[in-house]
Amino acid sequence: MENDVIEKNATQVVEDKMEKYKRQKNIELYKSYRVFSYDLLFYYAIIYLFLTIEKGISAAQVLQFDAFYILFRFLMQIPSTLLIQKIGKRKSIIIASVVIAIHSLIIMVATNFEQLLVSQLLCAFGFTIKATCETDMLYDAIPHGEKRGSTFAKIDGKANARHYYLEAVSSVISGFLFVVNPYLPMILCFIILVLTSVLSTKFEELQKVQSKNTIKAELKNLKYSFRNILKSKRLKSLLICNSLMVAMIKILQNLRNTVLLDIGVPEQYFGIIFAVLGIIAGIAAKNQDRIHKKYRNKTLAFLMIPTAISFLVLGVLTAMKIDVKYSMPIIFVVFAVQYIMKGPYYVLIKRYFNNFTNSESRIKIATVNNFAENLIVSVLMFGASFVLDIVPVSETLIIVGIVVTALTLILLRYMKKTVGLKAEQYGKKEIL
């Protein structure tokens, strides 16, 4: 009997050491992996030019191109969640990485808008999986404790900052390579995605694979998740807040390129401009904890209000038709403000969603958040593309700016009593 106890204890010690090794391995790997996987490299500085010049689609269609991506993410949420439950987070991330690499190839060979939409469907599937469980891989690896949230934010923030720095370098390179051959930046993007796929295979699975659910069962779970989460005023506020902020970021991502072309900036300088902006975003992302500590429950207001108002400022500047020598410095400052807000936002919103949660509830919250975000963002982006198809970019910016500024102020007023409180100030329904 005594030998059995000793043997059992020895086995437990070995299992604990193995578990600790896997956790540490995932943390260290995440620091490198996230730098390449956070978003597409060699892509954003030239994709607008690539689609409008090389593929021959309009500015409004480019906005629709991204809007369909968001809509596809909405449609892919349940299939992606089912896949994660069936095969686990590690294998799901590997599949997602490979699918995203394939999507970049399809963009290169596509001959019409419909084929480009196929690439967005694949990209949506891949990034929906990544958004659901990628950062959760890191959170699972961090030991429980009071500093778990801040440790997560610190590691993820540094990795995201490094991504922005790398994106800055890739933007400069892609801008000049585009002038030589429009396909060269896309080829480099594909190579990085292949590297990301290889790195993803090195992760260890820390959570047991859940039981297989049917689509009907998953819809039922989603219904209950929505019901439980929407009982929490804190989470409901964060869901709406995140959807609005992401919509602003995505719309600006396209309209910035249209503004630059409208004021006559040469194509080869796009990369340099977005490189500097990437560095600014990286510095801001690295300092997300300082921003949180300084503004506390006003952090989201600090990030959202300047982003919303920047639409109006850009719209007025573009409408005035000032000489590019004078307008460009002011426009660049507005762009810089947008990137300063964007840099820390994604890290901080994940932190706020993850507060007062466990592993099971985080997956449910991430699923509901992705579901709500993609539906609301796609609607707002299709609306913006509709406006852009009718009126010039300057008027589009002003119209969208008025709408998002009003929505932001109304939402932030409501959130004063629902977000940013201490744990003991929340009721039972607020803690999942």
Side-chain angles (χ1 to χ4, degrees):
M1 185 70 177
E2 187 177 342
N3 290 335
D4 291 340
V5 172
I6 294 173
E7 185 177 342
K8 185 177 180 180
N9 290 337
T11 302
Q12 186 63 48
V13 170
V14 172
E15 289 178 354
D16 289 344
K17 286 184 178 180
M18 182 58 68
E19 180 75 10
K20 185 177 180 181
Y21 166 76
K22 288 181 178 180
R23 287 175 178 271
Q24 193 59 40
K25 180 183 177 182
N26 280 4
I27 291 173
E28 293 303 317
L29 178 61
Y30 186 91
K31 293 176 182 178
S32 302
Y33 168 80
R34 187 67 166 169
V35 174
F36 297 101
S37 75
Y38 179 72
D39 213 337
L40 302 172
L41 295 169
F42 296 98
Y43 182 85
Y44 292 108
I46 57 89
I47 190 59
Y48 182 88
L49 298 172
F50 186 83
L51 293 174
T52 54
I53 297 174
E54 192 63 28
K55 299 299 177 179
I57 67 176
S58 67
Q61 282 181 310
V62 175
L63 195 50
Q64 291 169 18
F65 176 77
D66 280 346
F68 270 109
Y69 162 72
I70 302 297
L71 178 61
F72 290 149
R73 284 192 62 170
F74 168 74
L75 297 174
M76 288 290 106
Q77 185 59 60
I78 291 176
S80 300
T81 303
L82 287 172
L83 180 67
I84 294 167
Q85 290 180 342
K86 184 176 181 180
I87 66 176
K89 297 173 187 176
R90 175 183 173 273
K91 290 180 181 178
S92 296
I93 291 174
I94 294 171
I95 291 174
S97 301
V98 172
V99 169
I100 293 171
I102 294 171
H103 120 274
S104 67
L105 286 178
I106 294 177
I107 291 178
M108 286 188 274
V109 302
T111 57
N112 54 51
F113 188 67
E114 289 71 25
Q115 291 176 5
L116 287 170
L117 292 185
V118 173
S119 76
Q120 294 302 82
L121 180 63
L122 294 177
C123 189
F125 178 67
F127 274 107
T128 300
I129 290 174
K130 286 158 69 72
T132 303
C133 62
E134 195 169 65
T135 54
D136 210 41
M137 286 283 285
L138 172 63
Y139 216 85
D140 286 340
I142 300 172
H144 290 266
E146 292 182 0
K147 295 184 178 180
R148 194 182 193 192
S150 59
T151 301
F152 165 81
K154 183 178 180 181
I155 295 172
D156 198 44
K158 282 186 177 180
N160 291 353
R162 288 168 184 166
H163 170 85
Y164 283 123
Y165 301 147
L166 185 57
E167 183 183 38
V169 175
S170 73
S171 294
V172 174
I173 295 171
S174 60
F176 285 101
L177 287 180
F178 182 85
V179 178
V180 177
N181 187 318
Y183 286 87
L184 288 177
M186 292 301 299
I187 292 171
L188 289 176
C189 177
F190 171 72
I191 292 172
I192 293 295
L193 291 172
V194 171
L195 172 63
T196 302
S197 301
V198 173
L199 285 175
S200 67
T201 63
K202 308 296 182 182
F203 279 113
E204 299 284 349
E205 186 68 74
L206 295 177
Q207 298 292 326
K208 292 182 180 180
V209 177
Q210 298 180 24
S211 59
K212 300 177 183 179
N213 283 344
T214 62
I215 293 178
K216 184 178 180 180
E218 185 56 32
L219 284 171
K220 189 175 182 180
N221 286 339
L222 186 64
K223 178 183 176 181
Y224 286 126
S225 295
F226 259 109
R227 184 182 297 174
N228 292 332
I229 289 171
L230 293 182
K231 287 179 181 177
S232 166
K233 292 181 180 180
R234 181 183 75 88
L235 289 174
K236 185 164 59 176
S237 298
L238 288 175
L239 286 172
I240 300 171
C241 169
N242 181 57
S243 298
L244 180 58
M245 183 64 172
V246 172
M248 289 193 286
I249 291 171
K250 294 294 183 182
I251 293 170
L252 284 169
Q253 187 173 292
N254 281 284
L255 295 185
R256 275 192 294 264
N257 292 280
T258 312
V259 167
L260 291 176
L261 286 177
D262 194 63
I263 65 175
V265 176
E267 298 162 6
Q268 61 268 30
Y269 294 122
F270 274 52
I272 297 175
I273 292 169
F274 288 110
V276 177
L277 292 172
I279 293 172
I280 291 171
I283 295 171
K286 189 175 181 180
N287 287 280
Q288 49 78 27
D289 195 49
R290 291 184 180 180
I291 293 172
H292 168 74
K293 288 178 179 177
K294 182 175 181 180
Y295 294 98
R296 292 293 177 180
N297 58 351
K298 295 181 180 180
T299 301
L300 292 174
F302 168 76
L303 298 174
M304 293 182 71
I305 292 175
T307 304
I309 293 175
S310 69
F311 278 91
L312 297 170
V313 177
L314 278 179
V316 172
L317 286 172
T318 309
M320 291 173 68
K321 300 293 182 183
I322 304 172
D323 187 282
V324 66
K325 291 186 294 185
Y326 305 107
S327 63
M328 188 58 224
I330 304 173
I331 288 173
F332 182 82
V333 171
V334 178
F335 285 176
V337 170
Q338 293 169 357
Y339 272 73
I340 290 170
M341 303 302 113
K342 171 188 171 183
Y345 173 75
Y346 285 109
V347 178
L348 289 171
I349 197 65
K350 285 283 186 183
R351 177 177 180 172
Y352 300 153
F353 271 122
N354 288 338
N355 283 342
F356 320 126
T357 63
N358 55 38
S359 181
E360 183 180 352
S361 63
R362 284 197 303 274
I363 286 291
K364 290 180 180 179
I365 292 169
T367 301
V368 173
N369 177 49
N370 292 339
F371 209 77
E373 174 189 313
N374 295 328
L375 178 60
I376 295 172
V377 173
S378 64
V379 170
L380 293 175
M381 289 187 71
F382 276 119
S385 71
F386 175 77
V387 175
L388 183 60
D389 208 23
I390 299 173
V391 301
V393 65
S394 58
E395 294 178 29
T396 300
L397 283 162
I398 292 171
I399 293 169
V400 175
I402 292 171
V403 173
V404 297
T405 300
L407 291 175
T408 298
L409 293 176
I410 293 169
L411 177 61
L412 290 173
R413 185 176 181 181
Y414 171 77
M415 289 172 61
K416 282 184 178 180
K417 297 180 180 180
T418 60
V419 177
L421 307 179
K422 296 179 180 179
E424 58 270 18
Q425 293 176 291
Y426 287 113
K428 292 182 179 179
K429 292 181 180 179
E430 306 293 331
I431 310 296
L432 298 186

